[in-house]
Amino acid sequence: MTDNRTAMKTHLRRIYTLLLLAFTTLSLGAYASPISYFKEDGRTNWQYIANFSSGVLIILLSCTAISLFFSSRKTKKANRQLNDIRAVLEQRVQERTVNLAEASKQLLASETYIKNILSSMPSMLIGLDSQMHITQWNHCAEETTGISADKVLGKNLWAAYPAVTLSQQQIEEVITEQKPATLKHNQRGQYYFDITIYPLKDHTEAGVVILIDNVTLRSIAENKLIQRDKMSSMGELAASMAHDIDTPLQAIFRDLKSIQQTIHSNDPEIAATLDDAVTRANQASQIIRNLLDFAHSNDRKKRPESLTELIDHTLELAGNAFSDPSGLHFKDINIIKDYQDELPAIPCYKTELQQVFLSLFRHACHAIASSNKDDSPTIKIQLLTCYDSLWLKIQHNGLGLTAKEQHEIFEPFYHDRINPKSTEAENRLSFSQFIIVEHHQGHIFVTSDVDVGTTFHIEFQLPKK
């Protein structure tokens, strides 16, 4: 600031000196007589003319210098102001640039965070716009469907993934009503899905978000708890009924034995009637003992058991207990056994498997009695190992199952097409399927032909050595 003032004073002194010199020159020229401009010989006196012209020129230059000086001073002041403004603007631009960079970084971080959330979700998440075009397809949707997001984004949902169980009408209803909708889709024993459709709100364009939750494990766990409660209740009911029935039954059985021993009738019809009554009472007693064994089997530890011995024992119980209203007794059926030598024992719940085999033998007895074939009633039982599994096949030559019946036989409350008014106990195999699959981690399925017969295939995993 001090240097600027010093320079300004120097310029002013120079201009003042020039002006003083100019005025002096002009003054001298002014006081000179016009004759002084000419010499005595009549020639022009250029000295005076030069002095006068120099004075005028100096004055003009001085005025120009003064004008330039003030113009320069004004220009420098304007430049300083512009530089100050420029510095302020540059600082603001830098601050805005830093703020924008920070905002962009935060936006990118938020976008990445949201993408990570969507990718980490254990549920399928599908976004649709009002035209039913896919706008979102998360990682779980890719894994479940086997279709990558880049192949479906922007495409119609049903064109990109025809296997989806939703209809376009359901989506349109959610968009119109602006209310979420919840649906369930399941294949009993295989998978369970909860489907929720959310409408997009506070958005410029209408659309929905579809959330598909795989609740298979939860549903299976809930079903297990329900089945265990049923098993517990069934055991208590079986024990109570068995005790209530066994008391009068044993009294009837003793009375029949006593009558049979004391009466010696020559009438063969009476003797046959008594023998049949004793046989029936013995069958009922066997059923009661089986119910009691089932009710008292509350030990939930699996124990190694020989399936050959278990099946043989079950056949003995079935022979004493099963008969069909048509007059066919289970003991009259030809049993063919094909057991592989030295079969390994498998860990199992003995009484539960016995109930499964009894149900299958009961079904076979009923199917054979319902058949009009002249073939000898036969049940073939085959046991063999294959790799790391033990396979049991129970085959009969009775009336076979249709394709629809094969699909439904393991469903609860399956109806018999021949005798719809029957108790259907011989056809209810849903509980047997539950015991094999859920309690023993095995598999059971059926193959059948209406004119040939039916085969039940059961697989048990062998324990690892």
Side-chain angles (χ1 to χ4, degrees):
M1 193 71 179
T2 304
D3 294 338
N4 292 335
R5 290 179 178 177
T6 303
M8 187 183 301
K9 290 179 179 180
T10 303
H11 287 301
L12 289 175
R13 289 194 190 99
R14 290 175 180 175
I15 293 172
Y16 176 76
T17 302
L18 289 174
L19 288 174
L20 183 62
L21 180 60
F23 279 113
T24 302
T25 304
L26 288 175
S27 298
L28 293 174
Y31 287 108
S33 173
I35 301 175
S36 302
Y37 291 99
F38 301 98
K39 294 183 178 180
E40 294 178 356
D41 56 1
R43 289 181 298 175
T44 302
N45 191 350
W46 295 106
Q47 182 64 39
Y48 288 99
I49 294 174
N51 291 337
F52 180 79
S53 300
S54 298
V56 173
L57 182 60
I58 290 171
I59 291 173
L60 293 175
L61 288 176
S62 298
C63 293
T64 303
I66 292 171
S67 177
L68 290 175
F69 169 75
F70 286 106
S71 297
S72 175
R73 184 178 178 186
K74 187 176 181 180
T75 301
K76 288 181 179 180
K77 183 178 180 180
N79 287 336
R80 285 197 299 271
Q81 292 176 347
L82 289 175
N83 288 333
D84 293 340
I85 294 173
R86 179 181 178 182
V88 171
L89 290 176
E90 287 180 350
Q91 183 178 359
R92 289 182 179 178
V93 168
Q94 290 178 356
E95 291 175 354
R96 294 289 177 86
T97 303
V98 172
N99 292 336
L100 288 175
E102 188 67 25
S104 177
K105 188 183 297 183
Q106 292 178 356
L107 182 62
L108 181 62
S110 299
E111 184 179 356
T112 304
Y113 181 66
I114 293 174
K115 285 184 178 179
N116 289 336
I117 291 176
L118 297 179
S119 299
S120 303
M121 288 179 64
S123 306
M124 291 179 60
L125 189 142
I126 303 172
L128 297 180
D129 59 17
S130 59
Q131 303 301 319
M132 304 302 160
H133 293 158
I134 299 173
T135 58
Q136 184 62 245
W137 190 268
N138 71 342
H139 182 67
C140 183
E142 291 181 333
E143 289 187 340
T144 304
T145 62
I147 306 174
S148 60
D150 56 351
K151 292 183 179 180
V152 299
L153 290 177
K155 295 183 179 179
N156 181 273
L157 174 61
W158 291 270
Y161 184 51
V164 67
T165 57
L166 296 172
S167 66
Q168 185 169 343
Q169 182 181 358
Q170 292 171 324
I171 306 296
E172 291 174 348
E173 288 178 357
V174 171
I175 295 177
T176 303
E177 298 177 2
Q178 286 294 297
K179 292 182 179 180
T182 301
L183 309 171
K184 292 185 179 293
H185 177 68
N186 66 78
Q187 180 67 38
R188 185 178 180 272
Q190 297 184 17
Y191 57 81
Y192 300 83
F193 289 101
D194 285 346
I195 304 174
T196 307
I197 309 172
Y198 299 94
L200 288 177
K201 295 184 178 181
D202 300 329
H203 198 264
T204 56
E205 185 179 357
V208 297
V209 174
I210 303 172
L211 189 65
I212 304 176
D213 291 319
N214 188 342
V215 294
T216 302
L217 295 179
R218 186 184 70 190
S219 298
I220 290 176
E222 291 174 352
N223 289 336
K224 283 183 179 180
L225 292 175
I226 293 172
Q227 292 295 338
R228 287 184 180 180
D229 290 341
K230 288 182 179 179
M231 285 282 291
S232 177
S233 300
M234 187 184 302
E236 294 178 4
L237 179 62
S240 177
M241 291 181 62
H243 282 295
D244 292 341
I245 297 172
D246 189 54
T247 301
L249 180 63
Q250 291 300 324
I252 294 172
F253 188 66
R254 286 194 300 270
D255 292 343
L256 287 174
K257 282 288 188 179
S258 177
I259 294 172
Q260 193 177 34
Q261 292 173 359
T262 57
I263 295 179
H264 299 284
S265 175
N266 295 325
D267 189 348
E269 185 176 351
I270 295 177
T273 303
L274 286 174
D275 290 341
D276 185 66
V278 171
T279 301
R280 297 292 184 181
N282 188 39
Q283 290 178 352
S285 181
Q286 290 285 346
I287 294 173
I288 293 299
R289 283 197 294 271
N290 190 47
L291 279 174
L292 289 172
D293 289 341
F294 177 71
H296 294 155
S297 62
N298 54 3
D299 185 1
R300 298 309 299 169
K301 291 183 179 180
K302 289 183 179 180
R303 303 184 185 280
E305 297 288 345
S306 170
L307 281 191
T308 56
E309 296 178 2
L310 186 57
I311 291 173
D312 289 342
H313 178 62
T314 307
L315 286 171
E316 183 180 350
L317 290 175
N320 294 327
F322 292 164
S323 62
D324 189 80
S326 65
L328 176 67
H329 294 275
F330 188 84
K331 61 184 179 182
D332 298 329
I333 299 175
N334 182 28
I335 306 297
I336 301 175
K337 301 177 183 178
D338 182 13
Y339 298 161
Q340 181 179 310
D341 295 334
E342 299 180 356
L343 288 171
I346 62 168
C348 64
Y349 303 121
K350 178 179 178 180
T351 308
E352 289 188 2
L353 285 188
Q354 181 176 295
Q355 293 299 316
V356 171
F357 301 151
L358 281 173
S359 297
L360 295 177
F361 293 150
R362 183 189 297 113
H363 172 85
C365 181
H366 174 73
I368 292 173
S370 302
S371 175
N372 296 322
K373 294 186 292 186
D374 297 329
D375 298 342
S376 173
T378 303
I379 295 177
K380 183 178 180 180
I381 304 171
Q382 188 178 12
L383 266 173
L384 71 156
T385 57
C386 183
Y387 296 103
D388 57 350
S389 299
L390 178 62
W391 285 88
L392 168 63
K393 297 182 181 181
I394 300 177
Q395 179 183 1
H396 66 75
N397 62 348
L399 181 66
L401 301 170
T402 64
K404 184 174 183 294
E405 289 170 332
Q406 293 179 51
H407 179 72
E408 296 178 348
I409 193 169
F410 296 119
E411 297 293 327
F413 310 115
Y414 166 72
H415 292 278
D416 180 14
R417 72 182 188 279
I418 299 174
N419 187 11
K421 296 182 180 180
S422 69
T423 59
E424 303 170 3
E426 65 277 359
N427 287 323
R428 291 181 180 174
L429 298 178
S430 60
F431 188 65
S432 299
Q433 191 255 5
F434 177 81
I435 289 176
I436 294 296
V437 175
E438 302 297 339
H439 287 186
H440 293 83
Q441 290 72 51
H443 298 88
I444 180 171
F445 57 94
V446 61
T447 56
S448 183
D449 186 282
V450 176
D451 300 323
V452 177
T454 301
T455 303
F456 290 97
H457 308 261
I458 304 177
E459 178 193 11
F460 297 98
Q461 290 293 322
L462 292 175
K464 295 181 180 180
K465 298 181 180 180

